[in-house]
Amino acid sequence: MTGRVASLYAVMTALIVGVGLLQGWVVALSILQLCLISAIMALGANMQWGYAGLFNAGIMGFAALGGVAVVLVSMPPVPGALGAGGWNLGLSALAIVLTLAAALFARERVAGYWRAPVMLAVIAIGYFVMRTFLDPASAAIEAIDPAAAGYLGGLGLPVVISWAVGGLFAAGAAYIVGKVSLGLRSDYLAIATLGIAEIILAVLKNENWLTRGVKNVTGLPRPIPDERTLQAAPWVQDLAVRFGSDVQTAAAIVARLAYSALFAIVLVAIFWLAERALRSPWGRMMRAIRDNRDAAEAMGKNVTRRHLQIFVLGSAVVGIAGAMLVTLDGQFTPSSYNPLRYTFLIWVMVIVGGSGNNWGSVLGGFLIWYVWVMAEPFGSWAMATATTGMTPGSFWQQKLLAAAPHIRLLLMGLILLTVLRFAPQGLIPERTARR
Amino acid sequence: MDVLNALVLFLNFVMIPATAYGAQLALGALGVTLIYAVLRFSNFAHGDMMAFGTMLVVLVTWGLQSLGVSLGPLPTALLALPIGILGTIVLALVTDASVYRFYRSKRSEPVIFVIASVGVMFVYNALTRFVIGTDDQRFEDGARFVVKVGDFRKWSGLDEGLAIRTSQLITVVVMILTVAFVFWFLQKTRTGKAMRAYSDNEDLALLSGISPERVVRITWILAAALAVIAGTLYGLDKSFRPFTYFQLLLPIFAAAIVGGIGHPLGAVAGGFVVAYSEVMVTYAYKGVLTYLLPEAWRPEGLVQMLGTDYKFAVSFIILVVVLLIRPTGIFRGRTI
């Protein structure tokens, strides 16, 4: 770690501590939790962009897949749901598998001009077969206690397991997208991922039997006791007395610290692995492919395969972070996913932090999340100050006050454009071998 | 009679809306494809450029309405359109000079342009939200229908009615005029030829004395004008909501790629391919089939291939199919 890195991290720490001193530690720790998750997402995006130069415009979709894993793993199963629609669900899953197998078989066996039409026909027929089983299944499942359940529920396993499962879900989706669109021009991957993210979101919003859709799944299990339990715990009450705060605050701080510690463990583990990978021969190969694709190909590297590999790995990391985010919120709300916040903000983090440098990505995750959160109160304050002289309720005063929440978007755009132009390597540039 | 009823039902709910939507997508895709052909990157800010331009049109329309100006049966927005286009052209040129020109002079990779366009997207998005907020805005006025359901029923004696909204007719007419102008411009004028030459081979074009900055400027002017026209038509047809315009990015890209990215005629064809597939796949055919099939075969369900919420999936599936079967698109655009 060089002096530059150390001093930048010191500044970041000071910023968060500053919030703690000025606005209270509960606020500061809330920011820290999301900073940690953002840093993991940025690490995932950095693997794809920084190591391999792949532009993934669908980070939101992979994060949402991680989120749905939390529901499917940790919620208790809804009694009777599997009995109502289980067989049909199984059959429709079988139909999907058989359709894919038949399509691949057709690709092997049918040659020339007819290949594409035959494959399309096979997939279309398979789709209708799948629908004949899925429709009754989803109707039956959604009919079970629609106000409180109306979905399959999960497996009732500990919520931490779902983080790994979230990574697997995202990796699976990334494999399919990557198989189709990697090896083509870079813009193509961007557009394909933009599309897959919208589709994943559409599925999560509409397949009520799986996720309750826009009815949301609330009350997800927590990895640590909830705040009310903590308030009742004697040791928390002792702490409150010792630090002279009320019990609510002490419990809130303890809960946030516990979450932060959990997230920090995941972050450190992923960071360590990512750094190890980057320093290994594999990491050097990835950078060689990124910097000179043709030369790497001439050396016998299978560029498309390596790209697929890193794309899947990076998406898995994003999926893990997405699962952690939903765990922290305690609820899964498909309608809250928005590409500016979940895809392009992560991009700003990676670019500002320093593409290709994991220290940079983590710093970028922290800093940009911090700015994103602080921009809103700052915007309100700035607009309130700017409008003090105006007549209350006048057109311009109303207009300016209403504009305050959008300042953060402008700020993010300007930060991204400025960094990209004047410091394209980011705050912590990639470390390369001696030139 | 039943066949006619089925046909009218199909026309009313599939063909007419899809044609209007296809025209809007075609104009959007034409802008994207022009930028791609000349500047060689996929402009992620295009949707928000559409939103910004439409916002200007909405504001001017409101101003004109409050002054009592109107076009009679036509929407006032048509009068406001030129002003919106001018404003957006200024914005696009300022953006180019302050953002993209630098990367052009450095001959950066296309993906750097794409990332820069993400930054531009944030800024445009914020500008639009600053001025008009995030809510739905309606600015359509004038006569709402050219053909009304009731009148059509009376005239034809059929059970099913047919409606053509003014906005749909205007969309198609404006689209034909605009596309005709763009093609005339590209094929017949000196500047248009210079643009095509530059797109085909940059170095050769430079050698023949074509000014690259001028070509780029004209491209932005065309793309901005197309974006505002497409956005305004879409807003007249449905309603204006900034986030919807961001979401239009996907079908627009799909249209440009299906047609062969960088190929103007392809973009127009692609727009219609995407729009027709989207509407046809998400339409529930129960009514049509009830007319056509004998009593015993009538469907119980909606006979809908995909829920309307999955319309973005259609663009994506088309995109994937094109990628797998013919990566260069229908009209053999640039190999991607």
Side-chain angles (χ1 to χ4, degrees):
Chain A
M1 217 162 76
T2 58
R4 181 189 174 84
V5 178
S7 52
L8 282 168
Y9 272 87
V11 169
M12 192 62 237
T13 316
L15 283 174
I16 293 179
V17 171
V19 173
L21 293 174
L22 291 173
Q23 288 178 283
W25 292 102
V26 178
V27 180
L29 286 171
S30 302
I31 295 177
L32 177 67
Q33 291 172 333
L34 282 159
C35 281
L36 287 163
I37 294 178
S38 303
I40 297 176
M41 281 202 190
L43 274 180
N46 182 43
M47 287 182 187
Q48 297 174 339
W49 168 244
Y51 293 16
L54 301 175
F55 186 91
N56 177 1
I59 296 172
M60 168 180 78
F62 298 110
L65 273 180
V68 80
V70 180
V71 174
L72 294 183
V73 169
S74 71
M75 282 307 273
V78 172
L82 205 58
W87 276 109
N88 276 329
L89 270 188
L91 286 173
S92 60
L94 189 68
I96 295 176
V97 173
L98 288 180
T99 306
L100 286 181
L104 290 178
F105 181 76
R107 196 173 79 165
E108 287 287 305
R109 286 304 172 88
V110 183
Y113 188 75
W114 285 101
R115 178 186 286 166
V118 168
M119 278 180 71
L120 284 181
V122 166
I123 291 174
I125 294 169
Y127 173 75
F128 285 110
V129 173
M130 189 268 286
R131 278 284 297 270
T132 53
F133 295 119
L134 185 63
D135 287 352
S138 77
I141 293 170
E142 282 164 27
I144 298 173
D145 191 10
Y151 74 122
L152 265 184
L155 298 173
L157 295 172
V159 69
V160 178
I161 294 176
S162 71
W163 298 356
V165 177
L168 286 179
F169 279 12
Y175 181 80
I176 298 170
V177 188
K179 233 6 200 178
V180 176
S181 50
L182 285 170
L184 298 159
R185 255 187 64 114
S186 54
D187 306 36
Y188 233 106
L189 180 71
I191 295 165
T193 44
L194 188 76
I196 197 76
E198 290 292 343
I199 292 180
I200 291 173
L201 257 291
V203 170
L204 297 186
K205 277 181 199 164
N206 295 299
E207 296 304 316
N208 289 2
W209 59 273
L210 187 67
T211 62
R212 296 195 81 214
V214 287
K215 291 189 285 181
N216 303 338
V217 178
T218 50
L220 292 170
R222 294 163 184 279
I224 57 159
D226 66 3
E227 286 183 24
R228 209 166 299 154
T229 321
L230 284 175
Q231 283 168 21
W235 61 276
V236 177
Q237 289 166 354
D238 280 354
L239 275 181
V241 172
R242 185 167 305 165
F243 286 100
S245 73
D246 55 310
V247 186
Q248 280 88 349
T249 317
I253 289 178
V254 168
R256 282 168 176 69
L257 274 176
Y259 270 119
S260 303
L262 267 180
F263 296 159
I265 291 170
V266 178
L267 174 62
V268 168
I270 292 178
F271 184 87
W272 185 73
L273 289 172
E275 274 292 281
R276 282 295 297 246
L278 192 61
R279 311 246 156 277
S280 68
W282 180 85
R284 287 195 293 277
M285 173 186 65
M286 290 314 297
R287 278 176 288 157
I289 291 175
R290 180 195 65 192
D291 291 340
N292 194 336
R293 191 193 159 117
D294 295 339
E297 214 153 22
M299 297 288 288
K301 304 298 176 200
N302 187 339
V303 173
T304 312
R305 283 285 284 282
R306 294 287 82 74
H307 274 172
L308 183 60
Q309 193 178 31
I310 195 80
F311 186 66
V312 168
L313 285 175
S315 300
V317 172
V318 172
I320 293 171
M324 290 161 63
L325 191 63
V326 168
T327 311
L328 176 66
D329 288 344
Q331 56 179 348
F332 180 66
T333 48
S335 47
S336 67
Y337 288 91
N338 155 358
L340 286 177
R341 151 79 180 85
Y342 283 91
T343 296
F344 296 113
L345 191 66
I346 311 299
W347 270 96
V348 181
M349 292 171 184
V350 174
I351 303 284
V352 169
S355 326
N357 188 317
N358 290 323
W359 290 103
S361 300
V362 172
L363 180 74
F366 270 71
L367 184 67
I368 294 302
W369 180 259
Y370 184 87
V371 174
W372 177 257
V373 172
M374 297 315 260
E376 192 156 5
F378 173 78
S380 308
W381 171 81
M383 288 305 176
T385 320
T387 53
T388 38
M390 299 183 185
T391 24
S394 73
F395 175 76
W396 283 109
Q397 197 232 13
Q398 297 279 324
K399 204 83 214 168
L400 286 173
L401 286 181
H406 308 310
I407 282 191
R408 47 160 71 159
L409 294 173
L410 185 68
L411 202 60
M412 284 304 141
L414 293 178
I415 289 175
L416 177 60
L417 289 174
T418 314
V419 169
L420 195 62
R421 170 132 184 196
F422 297 104
Q425 294 191 309
L427 289 175
I428 307 180
E430 185 180 3
R431 264 174 300 172
T432 44
R434 274 163 281 137
R435 302 195 181 195
Chain B
M1 220 45 168
D2 277 353
V3 176
L4 276 182
N5 269 322
L7 186 68
V8 168
L9 196 62
F10 186 70
L11 278 178
N12 191 29
F13 287 104
V14 177
M15 293 314 276
I16 293 173
T19 307
Y21 181 46
Q24 291 145 12
L25 286 187
L27 289 173
L30 195 54
V32 164
T33 239
L34 283 179
I35 297 286
Y36 190 91
V38 172
L39 289 111
R40 297 187 168 78
F41 75 98
S42 312
N43 183 11
F44 270 64
H46 201 78
D48 284 294
M49 185 152 80
M50 277 166 67
F52 181 86
T54 313
M55 174 199 73
L56 291 182
V57 172
V58 173
L59 292 180
V60 176
T61 306
W62 287 345
L64 290 174
Q65 281 168 348
S66 67
L67 291 176
V69 181
S70 91
L71 274 180
L74 297 177
T76 319
L78 288 184
L79 271 183
L81 194 57
I83 305 175
I85 291 178
L86 270 182
T88 314
I89 287 175
V90 170
L91 180 78
L93 291 179
V94 168
T95 311
D96 184 68
S98 56
V99 178
Y100 299 119
R101 184 183 286 161
F102 171 76
Y103 301 105
R104 241 186 346 266
S105 68
K106 271 185 39 182
R107 293 192 167 239
S108 298
E109 299 260 321
V111 72
I112 300 294
F113 282 88
V114 173
I115 295 176
S117 79
V118 167
V120 171
M121 180 184 85
F122 266 109
V123 174
Y124 285 4
N125 208 303
L127 290 179
T128 311
R129 288 173 186 217
F130 273 149
V131 179
I132 208 162
T134 51
D135 298 332
D136 252 327
Q137 313 285 352
R138 295 205 60 100
F139 60 105
E140 192 194 357
D141 55 3
R144 237 175 109 60
F145 289 99
V146 182
V147 177
K148 282 187 185 151
V149 176
D151 296 347
F152 181 84
R153 279 209 193 109
K154 224 176 283 166
W155 173 79
S156 65
L158 291 172
D159 294 339
E160 292 297 332
L162 185 79
I164 300 179
R165 294 218 309 275
T166 318
S167 59
Q168 291 168 331
L169 188 68
I170 288 178
T171 297
V172 175
V173 172
V174 171
M175 177 260 175
I176 292 173
L177 292 178
T178 314
V179 169
F181 171 77
V182 171
F183 281 98
W184 169 80
F185 181 81
L186 289 177
Q187 299 294 332
K188 300 290 179 199
T189 63
R190 245 183 114 73
T191 319
K193 286 179 186 161
M195 270 174 72
R196 287 191 295 136
Y198 184 84
S199 156
D200 274 350
N201 189 329
E202 203 179 322
D203 295 329
L204 256 179
L206 291 181
L207 274 177
S208 348
I210 291 170
S211 151
E213 285 307 310
R214 181 155 175 274
V215 167
V216 167
R217 230 171 12 243
I218 305 279
T219 309
W220 278 115
I221 290 174
L222 281 178
L226 287 167
V228 183
I229 296 173
T232 305
L233 294 175
Y234 186 86
L236 280 175
D237 196 16
K238 278 130 190 162
S239 71
F240 172 72
R241 187 160 164 261
F243 187 62
T244 322
Y245 282 68
F246 172 80
Q247 289 187 314
L248 276 180
L249 205 55
L250 183 63
I252 285 177
F253 274 142
I257 289 172
V258 169
I261 196 157
H263 196 299
L265 190 60
V268 176
F272 284 101
V273 169
V274 169
Y276 283 124
S277 338
E278 200 170 280
V279 179
M280 282 165 90
V281 169
T282 53
Y283 178 65
Y285 287 93
K286 183 179 183 180
V288 175
L289 290 180
T290 312
Y291 280 118
L292 290 181
L293 296 176
E295 191 107 21
W297 291 9
R298 281 185 189 161
E300 280 172 37
L302 288 169
V303 203
Q304 188 181 22
M305 275 179 258
L306 269 179
T308 34
D309 299 304
Y310 287 118
K311 59 179 183 198
F312 290 116
V314 180
S315 328
F316 182 75
I317 292 166
I318 296 175
L319 201 67
V320 169
V321 170
V322 170
L323 269 176
L324 291 175
I325 298 177
R326 199 179 165 110
T328 47
I330 303 172
F331 283 88
R332 293 258 178 247
R334 276 165 197 288
T335 318
I336 306 184

